[in-house]
């Protein structure tokens, strides 16, 4: 079927006039008439018949006009979809995040993003650092947001640092080390409540012991969630090594206390990771740009 001719037919059926169609399409009336006659011959159907000084649709023409209207309406929807997808106002974002940004940063980021890009679908997986990196490598997600970058990662991964916060040792206020200045060796004699294997802060703690040639601490309680580990320490058991972003309010309210370990001041990097040399969808680029503008208060 000649779609150009069908488009001419649709215009005439919509306007009810060859003259008005000619004016809108900037095509001469004889040219339009000739193409419609050729189209009728191709279909072996009469689409228009004379009516006074004008024309009207035949029964076949009226039914074809309904179908043509649907077709070109869908065409407009496709054009709008493509434009929206290019602009990032439509589409999807697949995101893997470690527990720190997933619980303390991303909800606020998404709330602001959705105010401007409500039609963008977002799929968020909360996991540990190791699994987030693997999902990114496997192309299961578009971006990964880390609270604590791994010590090493493949060259195919691009990291964009947003900001840094501190890593703190914390205990309950009743603990003998609460608000005390002690050595790292003494700190490592305490039982620790930590996240599962693959957690970046757990790996940082073990790396710290290796750096100072100290035995690894006893991790006597292990949770798959960050909040569970913190609540156990608040309840009075052991110590935790955690981002200040997570526990600052607990410390300010007196539910947790810091332990000041002499000579140890470690920072935790919050970063966006993507695959190098890969063009991101516009929706993902818009999300990253919004975060970069003000990562603390998006």
């Amino acid at each position: 079927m000649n779609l150009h001719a069908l488009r001419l037919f649709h215009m005439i059926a919509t306007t009810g006039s060859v003259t008005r169609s000619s004016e809108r399409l900037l095509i001469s009336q004889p040219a339009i008439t000739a193409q419609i006659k050729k189209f009728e011959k191709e279909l072996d159907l009469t689409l228009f018949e004379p009516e006074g000084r004008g024309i009207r649709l035949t029964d076949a023409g009226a039914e074809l006009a309904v179908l043509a209207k649907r077709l070109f309406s869908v065409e407009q929807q496709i054009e709008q979809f493509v434009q929206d997808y290019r602009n990032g106002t439509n589409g999807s974002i697949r995101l893997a995040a470690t527990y720190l940004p997933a619980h303390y940063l991303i909800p606020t980021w998404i709330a602001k993003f959705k105010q401007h890009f409500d039609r963008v679908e977002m799929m968020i997986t909360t996991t540990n650092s190791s699994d987030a990196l693997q999902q990114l490598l496997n192309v299961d997600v578009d971006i990964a947001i880390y609270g604590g970058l791994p010590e090493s990662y493949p060259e195919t991964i691009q990291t964009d640092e947003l900001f840094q916060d501190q890593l703190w040792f914390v205990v309950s206020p009743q603990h003998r080390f609460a608000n005390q200045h002690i050595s790292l060796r003494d700190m490592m004699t305490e039982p620790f409540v930590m996240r599962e294997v693959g957690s970046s802060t757990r790996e940082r703690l073990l790396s710290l012991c290796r750096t100072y040639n100290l035995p690894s601490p006893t991790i006597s309680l292990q949770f798959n969630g960050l909040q569970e580990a913190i609540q156990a320490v608040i309840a009075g058991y052991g110590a935790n090594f955690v981002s200040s972003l997570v526990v600052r309010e607990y410390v300010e309210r007196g539910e947790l206390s810091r332990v000041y370990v002499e000579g140890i001041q470690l920072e935790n990097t919050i970063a966006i990771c993507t695959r190098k040399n890969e063009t991101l969808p516009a929706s993902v680029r818009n999300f990253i740009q919004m975060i970069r503008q003000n990562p603390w208060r998006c």
Side-chain angles (χ1 to χ4, degrees), residues 231-288:
Q231 289 301 321
V233 176
I234 290 175
Y237 183 79
N240 200 323
F241 184 59
V242 64
S243 165
S244 63
L245 192 63
V246 176
V247 295
R248 187 180 301 276
E249 289 187 5
Y250 291 106
V251 171
E252 290 174 352
R253 293 197 301 263
E255 296 178 62
L256 285 172
S257 294
R258 289 187 63 182
V259 182
Y260 301 92
V261 177
E262 296 165 356
I264 303 300
Q265 290 185 337
L266 295 180
E267 291 185 326
N268 195 42
T269 300
I270 312 298
I272 299 172
C273 294
T274 55
R275 293 178 292 274
K276 283 184 180 177
N277 305 318
E278 183 174 306
T279 301
L280 295 171
S283 56
V284 178
R285 295 198 304 271
N286 289 340
F287 183 63
I288 292 175

Side-chain angles (χ1 to χ4, degrees), residues 140-186:
D140 293 327
V141 295
D142 303 303
I143 57 175
I145 300 181
Y146 277 80
L149 283 172
E151 292 185 0
S152 61
Y153 43 85
E155 292 184 357
T156 54
I157 298 298
Q158 174 73 41
T159 63
D160 182 6
E161 183 178 315
L162 296 172
F163 62 89
Q164 291 186 330
D165 70 325
Q166 294 178 330
L167 289 169
W168 288 357
F169 290 96
V170 292
V171 294
S172 76
Q174 290 75 39
H175 194 282
R176 60 195 173 96
F177 288 162
N179 300 311
Q180 300 298 307
H181 291 261
I182 66 171
S183 69
L184 181 62
R185 183 176 296 276
D186 286 342

Side-chain angles (χ1 to χ4, degrees), residues 31 38 46 48 58 80 84 94 96-97 118 126 128 134 142 153-154 183 187 208 221 232 248 257 270 274 279 288-289:
K38 183 178 179 180
T46 301
F48 296 103
T58 62
Q80 186 64 52
D84 290 345
R94 300 171 304 159
D118 186 53
T126 303
N128 59 46
Q134 196 59 51
D142 303 303
Y153 43 85
S183 69
M187 188 74 239
L208 188 62
L221 275 179
R248 187 180 301 276
S257 294
I270 312 298
T274 55
T279 301
I288 292 175
Q289 182 180 10

Side-chain angles (χ1 to χ4, degrees), residues 58-175:
T58 62
D59 290 344
E63 292 190 29
L64 182 60
V66 172
L67 296 175
K69 181 178 180 180
R70 292 178 186 170
L71 173 64
F72 293 118
S73 175
V74 171
E75 180 189 45
Q76 289 178 348
Q77 292 174 25
I78 292 172
E79 290 174 348
Q80 186 64 52
F81 168 80
V82 171
Q83 182 180 346
D84 290 345
Y85 204 89
R86 285 200 197 108
N87 295 336
T89 55
N90 209 339
S92 64
I93 299 174
R94 300 171 304 159
L95 189 157
T98 58
Y99 287 89
L100 169 62
H103 287 91
Y104 296 93
L105 297 170
I106 288 177
T108 303
W109 292 345
I110 289 176
K112 181 171 182 180
F113 182 75
K114 279 290 195 176
Q115 291 174 10
H116 302 281
F117 302 99
D118 186 53
R119 286 181 294 166
V120 175
E121 182 181 1
M122 301 195 73
M123 293 152 284
I124 299 136
T125 301
T126 303
T127 184
N128 59 46
S129 300
S130 177
D131 187 58
L133 181 62
Q134 196 59 51
Q135 288 192 47
L136 186 61
L137 290 171
N138 291 345
V139 200
D140 293 327
V141 295
D142 303 303
I143 57 175
I145 300 181
Y146 277 80
L149 283 172
E151 292 185 0
S152 61
Y153 43 85
E155 292 184 357
T156 54
I157 298 298
Q158 174 73 41
T159 63
D160 182 6
E161 183 178 315
L162 296 172
F163 62 89
Q164 291 186 330
D165 70 325
Q166 294 178 330
L167 289 169
W168 288 357
F169 290 96
V170 292
V171 294
S172 76
Q174 290 75 39
H175 194 282

